[in-house]
Amino acid sequence: MVLFACTALMNAQVGINTSKPEKDLTVNGTMKTSGMIFKKPLEKLGADENYTFVIKSPAPENKITAYNDTFVPNSPAPINLIQFKITCDPTDKDWVNQFDTKINSNKFLVVISSFGFTQAVRTYSADWLTPVPQIFAYSSGGTWKLKADYQGFAPDSSFPTGEWTLNLLVFDKAYAKELNTTQDLGASTTGAAAAPLLQ
């Protein structure tokens, strides 16, 4: 049996597996506890401190859990990869005007990283034109919506209805910022941001 003797000292710092504790209690290794209470707000780590990724469950539990692979299928990660395959309206064959992803736009940021379409497109006139896809995600009614269309074009009438594949990167807004600033070039074709958005 091993006994530990502790002495309470004013402004003392205690270290476990370290001779140089950086805080009131510094643990160099793993720790197991049946419960933990955190001050609000949580203190940020310093630039010279080691970072550990943890996940907090929603209120009221507010449990802090170390990251592991078994969490990923059941809970959002800082960056999530989502793929939607969307079959179009048969009357247009290439138009998705509004598709509700049901992804909360207050908690997550959605970026369309890549896309694909199953059918060839053609112009309604005899002119050869390059089809330009209009593809974007937008927030409306608290969720992210998707739009996809070859504007002014459609698949040949002999082709089946088209299907879009949209690959999304979904970022937790706790880790990502959304910067939407309108920049006016005025009468010029060149310009610069009024201030650094990120630096």
Side-chain angles (χ1 to χ4, degrees):
M1 174 182 287
V2 178
L3 298 176
F4 292 94
C6 294
T7 302
L9 300 173
M10 295 297 291
N11 299 321
Q13 291 181 322
V14 178
I16 298 176
N17 289 336
T18 177
S19 60
K20 297 179 180 178
E22 300 170 349
K23 300 293 180 183
D24 293 343
L25 174 62
T26 300
V27 179
N28 182 16
T30 59
M31 182 176 68
K32 182 176 181 181
T33 178
S34 60
M36 193 175 291
I37 298 173
F38 292 87
K39 289 195 313 180
K40 293 183 180 179
L42 291 176
E43 181 184 1
K44 292 183 178 180
L45 294 175
D48 59 342
E49 295 179 283
N50 293 327
Y51 287 77
T52 301
F53 181 72
V54 296
I55 296 173
K56 181 176 78 66
S57 68
E61 293 85 2
N62 292 320
K63 293 180 180 177
I64 304 291
T65 308
Y67 174 82
N68 61 71
D69 290 339
T70 61
F71 254 177
V72 174
N74 300 315
S75 64
I79 303 174
N80 305 273
L81 306 176
I82 299 177
Q83 183 180 86
F84 283 106
K85 291 184 179 291
I86 307 170
T87 302
C88 301
D89 183 333
T91 59
D92 186 273
K93 295 192 175 186
D94 78 322
W95 189 25
V96 176
N97 185 38
Q98 178 179 292
F99 178 82
D100 190 350
T101 66
K102 301 293 186 181
I103 298 171
N104 187 330
S105 58
N106 295 315
K107 293 177 62 178
F108 298 100
L109 176 64
V110 169
V111 176
I112 299 177
S113 61
S114 60
F115 66 90
F117 188 64
T118 55
Q119 306 298 349
V121 293
R122 65 170 180 81
T123 180
Y124 289 113
S125 69
D127 298 327
W128 287 97
L129 299 173
T130 301
V132 178
Q134 300 288 323
I135 301 169
F136 56 89
Y138 63 97
S139 173
S140 175
T143 60
W144 283 98
K145 311 293 193 300
L146 303 177
K147 181 173 182 177
D149 182 34
Y150 281 106
Q151 197 163 357
F153 294 80
D156 188 88
S157 59
S158 64
F159 290 165
T161 299
E163 179 185 85
W164 286 97
T165 297
L166 301 176
N167 297 308
L168 311 183
L169 289 174
V170 183
F171 299 87
D172 187 330
K173 283 191 173 181
Y175 301 90
K177 288 184 178 180
E178 184 177 4
L179 304 173
N180 294 323
T181 61
T182 301
Q183 304 292 319
D184 186 2
L185 292 180
S188 175
T189 57
T190 61
L197 299 181
L198 294 172
Q199 61 180 353

